[in-house]
Amino acid sequence: MTVSSADKRGNAAPQFKADPWCLVEQGFDGDALAVGETLFAQANGYIGTRGTFEDPVAPGTVSVEGTFINGVFLREPIHYDEGAFGLATHNNKMILVPDGKRFELSAGGDVLVQGKSASVSQRRSLDMRTGVLERLTRWQLGAGQYIDIRCERFVSLAQPGLIAFRYTLVSDGYRGEVKIKTGLDAAYGATGRGGDPRAGALSIKDCLTTPKAEVVAGGRVVSHSVTDSDAVVNAGYVLSFGERMSGGEVLSPGFWGHEVSVTLTPGSEIELTKYVAYSDGKVAEQPRLMALLRAELEAAQKTGFDRLLADHKKRFEDFWGAADIAVAGPVAVQQGMRFNLFHLFQSAGKDGKRALSAKGLTGAGYDGHYFWDTEIYAVPFFVFTKPEVARALLSYRISTLDKARERARTMAHKKGALFPWRTIGGEECSSYFPAGTGQYHINAAIAYAVLQYVGATGDDAFLKEGGAELLFETARIWMDLGHFNARKGGKFCLSEVTGPDEYTAMADNNLYTNMMAQHHLENAAALAGRIKADMPDVYASLKAKIGLEEAEVQAWAEAAANMYLPYDAALGIHEQCDGFLDKPEWDFEGTPKDHYPLLLHYHPLVIYRHQVLKQPDVVLAQMLLSDKFDAADKRRNLAYYEPRTTHDSTLSACMYAIANAEVGDKVKALEFFEETYRMDIDNRHGNTHYGVHIACMAGSWMGVTYGFAGMRFGAGRLSFRPYLPEGWDGYGFKVQFQGQVLEVEVSADGTAYTLLGRKPLSLDHAGETIKLLPGEPKLMKI
């Protein structure tokens, strides 16, 4: 069913008891169902499935089903009534694939339905330690007659194509036949935009065509073609159940399944296990893909639920050992932080072929597109916790470099590569170019992430495997986009770009873009010199492949050294872009509360002509490039731009939390942080039914590490300036750095640094350089 932002059914925030490791839902709340389905979603970076009930739900209840394969998309034409050269021609939509969660239980001839049939109690729990979703339901069938259901399911991190289910049924006083229907559903309902451009309009019937089904022992495998594509999606399931149970096939349009029946007596117990597997590829690969799918299902049956679960749990144990943030303070904070890290990890692509969408794998919002959110918000989290995942996400960008070259040519750049603003397959999918294609800073974001990853890990092999080529090809765009402007004192200027603040579009000399381009160019020039000196064979190969000339490298350095950076001396602030300070102020007092976000209530031109920000722009620049600003400028910039920011984007609050922490306003820092760690659990923006807010989740990690702990990375070393937020007794986290692990624990006694490695490490604490020795904690006063 379609859910719009104005539809309150299914869009209420579920109520959860604060728990450090679990989300626990009691009973059935139809008003909060669609949001709960997002929150209870499970994924592994390849497949993701929403947290819908196994049972059908009552008619009129809003439920948004969805199972997705990361990186597999429908390519549909974009229709313009008035077109122009170079506009995006096709959209990429993350597709819906057959869903395997359905377990329809009938007793006494009646199907048991959530929100309609009588239940005495119900509990659903998502354990973030293990990624297991468990449901316990006690159905009442008559006086003194009950059936207890326990359903466990997980999306395997150990076997990325697999989802496993264990369905247990116990009779308490009930005598009679029960039937369980389960299988693969490729006919479930669609989602729609409902007037909100952030939503995703998606229907499985538009995604998949020409189904072909084959029988396997205990189940079926089904292949579909992806509409207007040479891609195929395969799904299959197998069932295992006891000898007392009998089963037969049940087929209907778009559904392939089994119906299992058994006669229950009081005290009897039955158990079904079900394994659902997925694969995708090209039509030419189909025989091999189907053979592998059948083999995976057969192996899962032989291995069994418990062993598969044990292997899966080990992956989560490894993740939490590296990435957990422990909070000694409000349990709601601890729960929110772990929930965010859980979804970041499970949604991120891990094979270098697929990335991390703005909604992860929890919903169809933004059509499943990848944005700069990945590189600026999520990659830092992975760089310092699970660097192999950061590497995989950046490898995806390398895999689409040819598409970025094509986009650059379309945009009249004779050299280089321009990465798309919104994409899945590598082409630009933004049909609204001022707030999309105009954001050239996507190139700088990807370069920033590559430089951060290589600098923090020392992984020079990544440069040889495409990282350097990416940096050089994307650097070339700035030289073609910009020019040395005599009217600006000969400084290098960038015209007609959109910065992170999408409420100011197509501006000249956006400070953020200019500064990030400067960072990109100066580092690309330095890297070219380092590779030429240290890896001459690699440099020679690169020169030959992309036609790199020495004069280009020198031009990068010259442009970086002469970059124009708007600054207003009278106010003592960095101007967001040329002319920004000449615009009238936005009438905040006269704007009704229900007119936020502004983008849903005002024409873009109305917004563009005012001093109003959707999210940080200058303030983001001073966080990412902290050493380029002095303390006084940071305070003045923050004081000027924060009151003019609507925070309509969930990318906003975390950066203002960090900025306020840096200038010493601990009260405001905590207030902004409060908007991040439970953004989705509390449905603070009223649109979590579309999917979680991945960048905000990563931003909550940054709020603790970059904000409260004052962590920065630059010039090859780490620095910290920690403090305790009001109401907290302590917090701790680990940082992966240069192949070693640094444990940071902050309490009222000070900050304890413990190096879990083999060689000494120097870092800065509150401006003081300290040297750590392996295994010897060092306590520093705050």
Side-chain angles (χ1 to χ4, degrees):
M1 296 183 68
T2 298
V3 184
S4 74
S5 59
D7 192 339
K8 301 303 180 185
R9 297 173 306 148
N11 193 26
Q15 300 300 306
F16 299 110
K17 179 182 178 181
D19 182 289
W21 281 107
C22 295
L23 284 188
V24 178
E25 174 188 75
Q26 300 287 353
F28 177 83
D29 183 356
D31 290 337
L33 184 60
V35 173
E37 290 168 345
T38 293
L39 302 181
F40 285 127
Q42 297 163 284
N44 59 19
Y46 176 62
I47 51 177
T49 191
R50 283 176 60 82
T52 47
F53 278 94
E54 296 81 13
D55 313 308
V57 298
T61 304
V62 176
S63 175
V64 183
E65 184 59 273
T67 296
F68 317 98
I69 296 182
N70 192 5
V72 182
F73 59 92
L74 176 70
R75 189 171 183 264
E76 61 177 13
I78 298 173
H79 300 288
Y80 301 94
D81 288 334
E82 296 184 43
F85 179 81
L87 296 183
T89 62
H90 287 77
N91 185 28
N92 297 168
K93 281 189 176 181
M94 180 175 67
I95 66 170
L96 296 171
V97 299
D99 180 72
K101 298 190 295 293
R102 177 176 170 183
F103 281 80
E104 185 179 284
L105 173 66
S106 60
D110 294 326
V111 175
L112 300 179
V113 177
Q114 291 287 337
K116 179 181 177 183
S117 303
S119 64
V120 176
S121 62
Q122 181 161 267
R123 180 182 188 272
R124 280 205 303 172
S125 174
L126 175 65
D127 188 338
M128 294 175 286
R129 284 168 296 200
T130 63
V132 175
L133 179 61
E134 179 186 68
R135 174 173 68 93
L136 304 172
T137 305
R138 185 171 176 83
W139 295 109
Q140 183 168 11
L141 303 175
Q145 299 181 63
Y146 306 93
I147 291 180
D148 293 323
I149 302 296
R150 181 188 185 195
C151 188
E152 305 159 88
R153 70 191 196 217
F154 65 94
V155 177
S156 176
L157 283 171
Q159 297 191 40
L162 187 69
I163 306 177
F165 302 81
R166 180 159 58 193
Y167 190 90
T168 307
L169 185 154
V170 178
S171 169
D172 182 0
Y174 175 76
R175 185 186 301 274
E177 185 182 47
V178 297
K179 295 181 179 180
I180 303 166
K181 184 165 68 174
T182 189
L184 284 175
D185 180 9
Y188 58 90
T191 60
R193 295 195 190 281
D196 190 336
R198 299 167 299 180
L202 200 59
S203 172
I204 195 168
K205 65 181 174 57
D206 295 331
C207 300
L208 303 178
T209 63
T210 59
K212 297 177 182 178
E214 300 176 15
V215 175
V216 295
R220 282 256 179 169
V221 292
V222 182
S223 68
H224 284 87
S225 297
V226 178
T227 303
D228 295 329
S229 168
D230 64 349
V232 291
V233 167
N234 305 309
Y237 78 92
V238 291
L239 288 176
S240 297
F241 48 85
E243 294 179 358
R244 292 192 301 118
M245 307 169 70
S246 60
E249 280 200 318
V250 178
L251 303 176
S252 60
F255 180 80
W256 300 266
H258 276 72
E259 186 173 73
V260 178
S261 62
V262 65
T263 299
L264 294 180
T265 57
S268 60
E269 177 177 331
I270 62 169
E271 180 180 289
L272 288 80
T273 54
K274 177 181 179 182
Y275 307 102
V276 180
Y278 297 88
S279 67
D280 75 281
K282 301 296 183 182
V283 171
E285 303 175 276
Q286 183 65 335
R288 179 182 65 86
L289 293 172
M290 288 295 277
L292 290 172
L293 188 71
R294 288 191 291 267
E296 183 170 19
L297 288 168
E298 182 180 354
Q301 245 181 343
K302 289 180 179 178
T303 303
F305 188 91
D306 288 328
R307 176 62 184 275
L308 290 169
L309 178 58
D311 292 342
H312 164 77
K313 285 181 175 179
K314 288 178 183 177
R315 303 298 176 96
F316 261 118
E317 183 179 353
D318 173 69
F319 168 71
W320 288 117
D324 188 26
I325 286 185
V327 177
V331 179
V333 179
Q334 182 67 87
Q335 182 183 41
M337 289 302 303
R338 285 182 173 144
F339 176 79
N340 292 348
L341 306 188
F342 168 81
H343 272 290
L344 277 166
F345 179 58
Q346 68 167 6
S347 289
K350 301 172 180 67
D351 62 2
K353 299 176 183 178
R354 47 205 106 231
L356 176 60
S357 79
K359 298 295 182 183
L361 292 170
T362 67
Y366 289 116
D367 290 337
H369 288 165
Y370 310 142
F371 291 78
W372 70 306
D373 307 25
T374 301
E375 283 78 20
I376 292 299
Y377 289 79
V379 166
F381 165 69
F382 289 113
V383 164
F384 294 112
T385 59
K386 297 291 289 180
E388 66 274 19
V389 178
R391 193 184 209 273
L393 293 173
L394 296 172
S395 293
Y396 156 78
R397 291 292 191 182
I398 293 173
S399 75
T400 64
L401 189 54
D402 282 340
K403 290 285 187 182
R405 291 185 177 105
E406 291 176 17
R407 184 60 182 165
R409 302 303 168 268
T410 299
M411 295 300 294
H413 301 297
K414 296 178 181 179
K415 288 184 177 181
L418 176 61
F419 278 99
W421 178 243
R422 297 178 63 157
T423 194
I424 298 177
E427 65 184 315
E428 178 61 78
C429 296
S430 175
S431 58
Y432 185 64
F433 75 88
T437 300
Q439 301 201 46
Y440 268 66
H441 65 86
I442 180 69
N443 266 22
I446 296 168
Y448 185 95
V450 169
L451 291 163
Q452 184 184 58
Y453 168 76
V454 173
T457 63
D459 183 8
D460 279 354
F462 183 76
L463 297 174
K464 301 175 186 178
E465 295 165 14
E469 182 182 351
L470 180 151
L471 285 168
F472 297 159
E473 284 284 74
T474 50
R476 283 173 153 169
I477 295 299
W478 302 119
M479 302 310 300
D480 201 34
L481 178 67
H483 68 290
F484 291 94
N485 187 346
R487 294 173 62 86
K488 296 286 189 181
K491 293 291 187 178
F492 193 76
C493 296
L494 301 174
S495 301
E496 294 298 329
V497 298
T498 301
D501 168 31
E502 295 170 15
Y503 286 173
T504 305
M506 308 312 298
D508 293 343
N509 294 310
N510 168 254
L511 180 88
Y512 175 90
T513 303
N514 285 25
M515 292 195 74
M516 290 292 282
Q518 181 185 48
H519 174 267
H520 186 177
L521 289 166
E522 64 188 11
N523 279 279
L527 180 65
R530 180 163 79 87
I531 293 176
K532 182 179 180 181
D534 299 343
M535 297 177 268
D537 292 345
V538 174
Y539 190 72
S541 177
L542 265 174
K543 282 188 65 176
K545 182 176 183 180
I546 66 174
L548 183 66
E549 300 174 358
E550 295 296 329
E552 282 188 90
V553 177
Q554 294 172 9
W556 297 345
E558 183 182 0
N562 290 279
M563 186 67 69
Y564 178 71
L565 305 177
Y567 188 84
D568 186 271
L571 293 175
I573 64 169
H574 291 82
E575 188 172 15
Q576 181 169 312
C577 59
D578 286 355
F580 183 85
L581 299 177
D582 297 328
K583 296 180 180 184
E585 300 277 358
W586 183 268
D587 181 12
F588 286 101
E589 290 187 5
T591 304
K593 290 183 179 179
D594 63 359
H595 278 41
Y596 294 93
L598 300 185
L599 63 92
L600 297 184
H601 301 279
Y602 299 92
H603 190 281
L605 288 179
V606 175
I607 300 173
Y608 293 165
R609 65 174 63 109
H610 289 88
Q611 288 190 48
V612 60
L613 287 75
K614 183 183 180 186
Q615 61 203 72
D617 203 295
V618 172
V619 170
L620 179 59
Q622 69 184 37
M623 197 289 286
L624 297 177
L625 303 171
S626 184
D627 61 334
K628 301 291 187 180
F629 297 80
D630 65 35
D633 278 335
K634 289 177 182 178
R635 284 192 294 270
R636 289 191 295 267
N637 288 336
L638 180 60
Y640 188 86
Y641 289 107
E642 195 284 314
R644 292 164 173 80
T645 305
T646 63
H647 308 292
D648 283 347
S649 169
T650 59
L651 281 65
S652 188
C654 58
M655 292 303 170
Y656 276 105
I658 296 166
N660 276 284
E662 187 171 26
V663 302
D665 193 333
K666 299 178 182 179
V667 173
K668 274 195 172 182
L670 187 56
E671 287 176 355
F672 279 112
F673 177 74
E674 290 286 334
E675 289 296 314
T676 67
Y677 64 88
R678 295 180 70 86
M679 173 63 71
D680 289 304
I681 291 179
D682 295 340
N683 194 19
R684 293 198 172 208
H685 273 224
N687 59 8
T688 292
H689 53 285
Y690 299 148
V692 299
H693 298 81
I694 284 290
C696 182
M697 290 175 153
S700 68
W701 176 86
M702 297 171 96
V704 175
T705 56
Y706 286 31
F708 304 147
M711 185 175 88
R712 297 289 185 275
F713 171 64
R717 62 191 292 130
L718 290 169
S719 63
F720 297 86
R721 193 175 291 271
Y723 72 89
L724 266 182
E726 183 71 25
W728 291 24
D729 295 322
Y731 59 93
F733 57 91
K734 292 177 181 174
V735 175
Q736 305 280 327
F737 184 70
Q738 298 288 351
Q740 301 195 94
V741 178
L742 173 66
E743 189 171 59
V744 182
E745 295 176 295
V746 184
S747 68
D749 295 330
T751 302
Y753 298 100
T754 304
L755 181 60
L756 308 176
R758 296 182 178 180
K759 54 185 180 181
L761 175 69
S762 292
L763 58 82
D764 291 339
H765 169 86
E768 177 185 351
T769 298
I770 61 174
K771 185 175 182 179
L772 301 177
L773 299 177
E776 298 182 13
K778 185 180 286 282
L779 181 66
M780 303 296 294
K781 293 298 181 183
I782 294 178

